[in-house]
Amino acid sequence: MQLHLVVNTFGADLARRYGEKIYKLTLHGGFSCPNRTGELGRGGCTFCNVASIIDESIQVKSISEQLSLQASQMRKSKRYLAYFQAYTSTYAEVAILKKMYEQALQSADIVGLCIGTRPDCVPDEALQLLAQYQDQGFEVWLELGLQTSNDKTLRDINRGHTYLDYHKTTQKARQLGIKVCTHLIVGLPKETKQDCFTTLNQVLETGVDGLKLHPLHIVEGSIMAKAWRAGRQSVLSLDEYVDIAGDLIRHTPKEILYHRISANARKPTLLAPDWCENHWQSMNAVDSNLRQFGVQGSALGDSYQFIA
Ligand code: SF4
């Protein structure tokens, strides 16, 4: 599979700009989530169980220990992005954020930061801190979990924020020159393909630099797992996901970087759909769809073309 020939991938973009492969090392900064602590909500998003996407046990290690452990297991890369992924990685006093982020940036092989967080939990001081790192020459990405632009769905899945929260934070970040990567879920409860397009169009209208697409998957320990067991929540087939993801990518301007076009989870935490266990299966299927029906941007009459 050569996804970078049909999609403007973040990986190929990094390789072009840095002259070598740059991988993300996933960090747990020990942050919590205001949608779980009661500050902004309780119970968390209905699809969420953080243990399904990151090894919770790594948070007992320091940031530099986590980085060196993962770097020692990498064969194909010598430089990395430090990805603060777990929970809400801007949910702390700015002095603590600074300490955490700078522990990562002080590693000689780190070229920058990716900070995963919620749109309603990014104080101006955190943005200013990130802007400083960018001014120092580091690669900086703010990864915002939006999932959908539909406020009713956002309420149904207990996100605790609105599209307006996302819009405001994205605009502030981009005004400071910080790149924003937005996470979207395909297949949320009661959402149709048209809803996915509405979300994409609103996100493009607000302005964005990168996108991550995920299929909805049901994980053990989430609120949604109960609804799925009771037959009240369905999931997409692989064909349905590929059809929607392929069309969304074709309607995405060629300059927007795709950081991810699918996602996986580990069994036994993953309950459904089974195809989400194998990342490559869905990646290959989306790749084939794009080769057959048109590459990124082709539906807008401005197709992406790979430049080495
Ligand atoms: S998805 Fe993110 S915001 Fe939602 S409960 Fe999980 S950690 Fe919190």
Side-chain angles (χ1 to χ4, degrees):
M1 183 184 61
Q2 292 188 300
L3 190 66
H4 61 279
L5 298 180
V6 287
V7 178
N8 191 5
T9 64
F10 185 43
D13 177 69
L14 286 170
R16 188 164 42 237
R17 288 190 287 120
Y18 287 88
E20 61 182 306
K21 277 195 179 298
I22 306 288
Y23 279 112
K24 274 183 172 177
L25 303 179
T26 303
L27 296 171
H28 195 321
F31 300 107
S32 180
C33 166
N35 201 19
R36 290 173 175 270
T37 59
E39 186 170 335
L40 293 173
R42 285 210 181 274
C45 308
T46 59
F47 57 81
C48 175
N49 173 1
V50 174
S52 70
I53 50 173
I54 192 165
D55 178 2
E56 289 269 30
S57 65
I58 65 169
Q59 67 174 308
V60 296
K61 297 186 193 304
S62 71
I63 295 299
S64 47
E65 283 172 334
Q66 291 181 47
L67 288 173
S68 26
L69 177 69
Q70 290 180 63
S72 69
Q73 293 160 356
M74 291 282 172
R75 297 274 175 272
K76 293 184 185 159
S77 180
K78 295 202 166 31
R79 292 203 290 166
Y80 311 98
L81 281 165
Y83 179 23
F84 284 84
Q85 181 185 25
Y87 292 101
T88 304
S89 298
T90 50
Y91 186 42
E93 296 292 323
V94 170
I96 296 171
L97 299 179
K98 186 170 177 346
K99 194 170 153 210
M100 287 280 177
Y101 300 162
E102 290 181 11
Q103 275 179 28
L105 292 173
Q106 277 156 12
S107 299
D109 49 7
I110 295 295
V111 302
L113 298 174
C114 297
I115 307 294
T117 189
R118 296 168 51 84
D120 57 350
C121 193
V122 191
D124 291 351
E125 298 76 23
L127 286 178
Q128 278 148 16
L129 187 63
L130 295 178
Q132 280 172 26
Y133 301 142
Q134 178 140 297
D135 291 345
Q136 289 163 16
F138 289 109
E139 178 93 18
V140 179
W141 284 84
L142 185 66
E143 298 210 16
L144 294 178
L146 171 65
Q147 322 311 352
T148 173
S149 68
N150 185 318
D151 282 341
K152 179 173 183 319
T153 308
L154 288 171
R155 276 195 304 279
D156 289 349
I157 60 173
N158 198 37
R159 279 293 293 175
H161 66 75
T162 62
Y163 186 75
L164 187 60
D165 293 322
Y166 164 82
H167 176 82
K168 285 181 184 165
T169 298
T170 300
Q171 290 214 320
K172 276 190 208 168
R174 297 185 85 232
Q175 273 161 13
L176 288 169
I178 299 165
K179 289 179 283 220
V180 172
C181 173
T182 301
H183 298 204
L184 303 176
I185 296 180
V186 173
L188 284 168
K190 301 193 185 111
E191 288 215 345
T192 61
K193 183 172 181 176
Q194 185 51 49
D195 291 311
C196 296
F197 270 91
T198 302
T199 293
L200 176 67
N201 290 333
Q202 282 193 258
V203 165
L204 294 176
E205 210 174 300
T206 291
V208 75
D209 305 282
L211 291 171
K212 274 188 181 175
L213 293 184
H214 299 183
L216 176 70
H217 50 283
I218 312 291
V219 292
E220 192 65 87
S222 65
I223 295 167
M224 222 177 250
K226 290 183 195 140
W228 175 77
R229 284 202 166 97
R232 286 183 276 108
Q233 177 61 50
S234 58
V235 289
L236 296 179
S237 67
L238 177 58
D239 285 349
E240 288 170 324
Y241 179 72
V242 169
D243 172 57
I244 297 173
D247 268 351
L248 290 174
I249 295 168
R250 273 185 284 282
H251 284 83
T252 303
K254 63 182 181 185
E255 63 276 7
I256 290 178
L257 294 169
Y258 268 96
H259 292 222
R260 182 179 281 180
I261 59 159
S262 189
N264 63 327
R266 313 179 192 121
K267 276 195 175 173
T269 310
L270 173 70
L271 298 176
D274 286 341
W275 57 267
C276 275
E277 198 182 11
N278 183 342
H279 191 49
W280 292 108
Q281 190 184 359
S282 52
M283 297 264 287
N284 276 323
V286 175
D287 179 79
S288 302
N289 176 288
L290 294 165
R291 281 168 204 279
Q292 190 177 354
F293 299 112
V295 305
Q296 181 175 338
S298 56
L300 305 171
D302 193 12
S303 298
Y304 160 76
Q305 277 184 312
F306 174 67
I307 299 164

